[in-house]
């Protein structure tokens, strides 16, 4: 049976959307030439509440209270926001998640720590198609510590390459190109059976699909906040360290904020207890405001409702692509199984790079991923079904 992709069906889906009202909580797109914003999986749209909160912070917390705000409000933000993020989106009990640094720095900290927790093991494992930061840092840490990198082609190969020499495995929960979801719990269990540890990259899953780190007995996780959490360009990342590792967790960038007595100015470094030892430098307070507001909005919307809409949007894109774009030479690169697809759909086309530029010039803001992928980002709190239909219709027009 052919799927109904009519304008009326788009209107019906938007009318029945439980999350539709949340679109009004975001700053309106000021460019009248934008037909659709389908790149929220790279940079989420700004929240009105973030703009208001920043103004309040500059005028009152910074402008009025001045340096007193560090003690009154700011010093505990990394842990407070981390705990709420853990509760709302990561399935993590308090005291295990903290907001700090960039994803790259957080990944370096956790990977170095994972290796230190497995002395005598000399191999790291990662995917050849993993995000560049992950691959580059695995190679960098391996070179720094004299380790060997074992490369795999997808998570199915984890069983084949892990063993008594495996110190740590670094994988993305959701593939940044295809949106394929890796079974986090199953892979973690397998690596643990081999005696290794896992560092999970959650950049393309946090805020889009439910994650259950504690239930999976995960070791470490990192992720950014400027995609589905809408925290803003360059907003600070987060890292998770399971409580069972805290006592032995020795992160390599030992700055003053991670010390037991931050203002003691001690002669030697003594790590703070718990997750705070993962901090290094001064927290980026202005950037953390966006994280705080993004997490608050996600808590209000509910991660299960967000996931349900992401699935529905993905189905909608697939139906439109099958009807309009596959006949024009496009192929679907993302899993069709809802349970295996994250928050975007990738379409392949032989002329994708040129076509991506044309689409952006004509108001369809998507993302190109080499060599031939066009990513349709589906941010459930800001993306509507009629908006997606307009975009897919414009793609059909420009590619025809």
């Amino acid at each position: 049976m052919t799927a109904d992709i009519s304008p009326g069906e788009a209107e019906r889906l938007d009318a029945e959307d439980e999350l539709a009202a949340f679109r009004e909580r975001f700053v309106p797109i000021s460019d009248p030439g934008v037909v659709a914003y389908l790149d929220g999986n790279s940079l989420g749209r700004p929240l009105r509440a973030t703009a208001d909160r920043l103004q309040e912070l500059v005028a009152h917390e910074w402008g009025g209270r001045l340096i007193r705000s560090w003690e009154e409000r700011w010093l505990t933000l990394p842990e407070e926001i981390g705990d709420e993020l853990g509760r709302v989106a990561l399935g993590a009990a308090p005291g295990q998640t903290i907001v700090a640094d960039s994803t790259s720095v957080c990944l370096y900290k956790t990977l170095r720590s994972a290796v230190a927790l497995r002395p005598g093991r000399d191999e790291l494992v990662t995917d050849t198609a993993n995000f560049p930061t992950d691959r580059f840092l695995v190679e960098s840490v391996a070179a720094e510590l004299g380790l060997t990198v074992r490369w795999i082609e997808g998570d199915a190969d984890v069983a084949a390459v892990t063993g008594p020499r495996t110190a740590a495995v670094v994988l993305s929960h959701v593939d940044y190109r295809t949106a394929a979801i890796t079974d986090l719990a199953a892979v973690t269990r397998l690596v643990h059976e081999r005696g290794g540890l896992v560092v999970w990259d959650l950049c393309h899953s946090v805020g889009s699909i439910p994650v259950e780190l504690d239930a999976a007995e995960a070791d470490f996780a990192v992720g950014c906040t400027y995609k589905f959490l809408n925290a803003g360009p360059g907003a600070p990342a987060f890292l998770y360290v399971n409580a069972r590792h805290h006592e032995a967790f020795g992160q390599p960038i030992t700055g003053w904020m991670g010390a037991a007595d931050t203002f003691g100015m001690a002669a030697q470094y003594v790590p703070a207890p718990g997750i705070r030892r993962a901090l290094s430098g001064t927290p980026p307070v202005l950037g953390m405001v966006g994280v705080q507001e993004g997490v608050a909005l996600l808590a209000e919307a509910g991660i299960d409702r967000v996931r349900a809409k992401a699935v529905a949007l993905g189905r909608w894109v697939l139906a439109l692509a099958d009807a309009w774009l596959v006949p024009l030479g496009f192929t679907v690169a993302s899993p069709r199984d809802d349970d295996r697809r994250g928050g975007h759909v990738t379409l392949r086309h032989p002329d994708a790079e040129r076509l991506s530029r044309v689409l952006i010039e004509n108001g369809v803001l998507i993302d190109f991923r080499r060599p031939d992928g066009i990513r349709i980002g589906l941010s459930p709190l800001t993306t509507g079904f009629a908006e997606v239909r307009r975009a897919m219709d414009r793609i059909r027009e420009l590619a025809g």
Side-chain angles (χ1 to χ4, degrees):
M1 181 178 178
T2 303
D4 182 0
I5 57 171
S6 66
E9 179 65 4
E11 292 175 5
R12 183 190 70 80
L13 290 168
D14 278 332
E16 296 179 357
D17 176 13
E18 294 182 356
L19 301 180
F22 283 91
R23 300 184 74 184
E24 300 303 316
R25 309 279 282 275
F26 291 81
V27 176
I29 297 174
S30 60
D31 183 352
V34 173
V35 174
Y37 185 62
L38 300 178
D39 207 3
N41 59 324
S42 278
L43 177 64
R45 287 174 52 189
L47 281 160
R48 295 177 188 266
T50 301
D52 294 341
R53 178 81 173 82
L54 281 168
Q55 186 174 27
E56 176 193 0
L57 187 148
V58 171
H60 301 291
E61 294 176 31
W62 181 10
R65 299 304 295 165
L66 299 167
I67 199 168
R68 292 171 291 185
S69 282
W70 276 115
E71 185 174 356
E72 293 171 355
R73 187 158 189 174
W74 296 340
L75 276 176
T76 57
L77 282 178
E79 294 136 299
E80 291 173 4
I81 301 173
D83 281 349
E84 183 66 357
L85 176 59
R87 182 188 72 82
V88 170
L90 302 178
Q96 300 178 105
T97 309
I98 198 160
V99 177
D101 311 303
S102 66
T103 305
S104 300
V105 174
C106 289
L107 183 57
Y108 177 76
K109 289 179 176 181
T110 52
L111 181 54
R112 278 290 307 270
S113 300
V115 172
L117 288 169
R118 289 297 180 265
R121 291 174 172 247
D122 61 355
E123 292 184 350
L124 301 178
V125 176
T126 196
D127 191 338
T128 57
N130 208 344
F131 192 76
T133 282
D134 302 60
R135 292 185 282 107
F136 297 164
L137 275 166
V138 166
E139 290 184 302
S140 177
V141 170
E144 184 178 5
L145 301 177
L147 308 177
T148 299
V149 180
R150 299 291 302 275
W151 297 97
I152 60 175
E153 304 289 338
D155 58 281
D157 289 341
V158 172
V161 303
T162 52
R165 297 179 63 182
T166 304
V169 176
V170 178
L171 291 175
S172 291
H173 184 209
V174 173
D175 188 305
Y176 80 101
R177 301 157 309 148
T178 67
I181 300 173
T182 296
D183 190 332
L184 186 150
V187 170
T188 299
R189 184 166 54 251
L190 173 64
V191 175
H192 285 176
E193 290 172 356
R194 310 293 171 85
L197 301 174
V198 188
V199 180
W200 287 102
D201 182 334
L202 305 180
C203 285
H204 281 275
S205 45
V206 62
S208 175
I209 65 176
V211 181
E212 296 293 340
L213 292 175
D214 285 357
E217 298 185 351
D219 302 299
F220 303 97
V222 302
C224 64
T225 61
Y226 47 76
K227 301 182 190 298
F228 296 106
L229 291 177
N230 306 288
F238 66 89
L239 63 84
Y240 161 94
V241 180
N242 192 292
R244 68 179 180 274
H245 294 311
H246 283 185
E247 187 174 347
F249 175 63
Q251 64 103 341
I253 307 176
T254 51
W256 74 315
M257 280 289 162
D261 185 355
T262 302
F263 296 100
M265 307 303 169
Q268 294 181 325
Y269 176 80
V270 176
I275 192 64
R276 191 168 179 88
R277 68 178 58 192
L279 292 179
S280 298
T282 305
V285 174
L286 294 175
M288 295 180 75
V289 164
V291 185
Q292 193 169 37
E293 294 299 335
V295 172
L297 190 72
L298 180 62
E300 185 179 345
I303 188 63
D304 291 331
R305 289 202 298 172
V306 167
R307 174 58 180 160
K309 184 176 175 183
V311 168
L313 285 167
R315 290 176 187 162
W316 185 235
V317 170
L318 292 173
L320 292 164
D322 287 340
W324 290 347
L325 302 183
V326 170
L328 299 179
F330 287 83
T331 57
V332 175
S334 297
R336 290 180 175 273
D337 182 345
D338 293 340
D339 292 335
R340 297 185 56 241
R341 186 182 63 250
H344 62 274
V345 174
T346 296
L347 305 175
R348 288 197 173 112
H349 190 277
D351 199 19
E353 185 169 9
R354 182 197 63 82
L355 182 57
S356 293
R357 290 195 297 268
V358 172
L359 293 175
I360 293 170
E361 290 168 0
N362 284 271
V364 180
L365 304 188
I366 45 73
D367 207 355
F368 169 70
R369 282 293 177 259
R370 297 183 185 279
D372 58 0
I374 295 175
R375 293 195 313 184
I376 309 296
L378 305 169
S379 298
L381 297 180
T382 59
T383 306
F385 292 90
E387 177 186 16
V388 169
R389 189 182 189 280
R390 289 194 302 271
M392 298 293 279
D393 193 28
R394 182 63 65 89
I395 296 173
R396 173 176 62 162
E397 173 190 336
L398 294 171

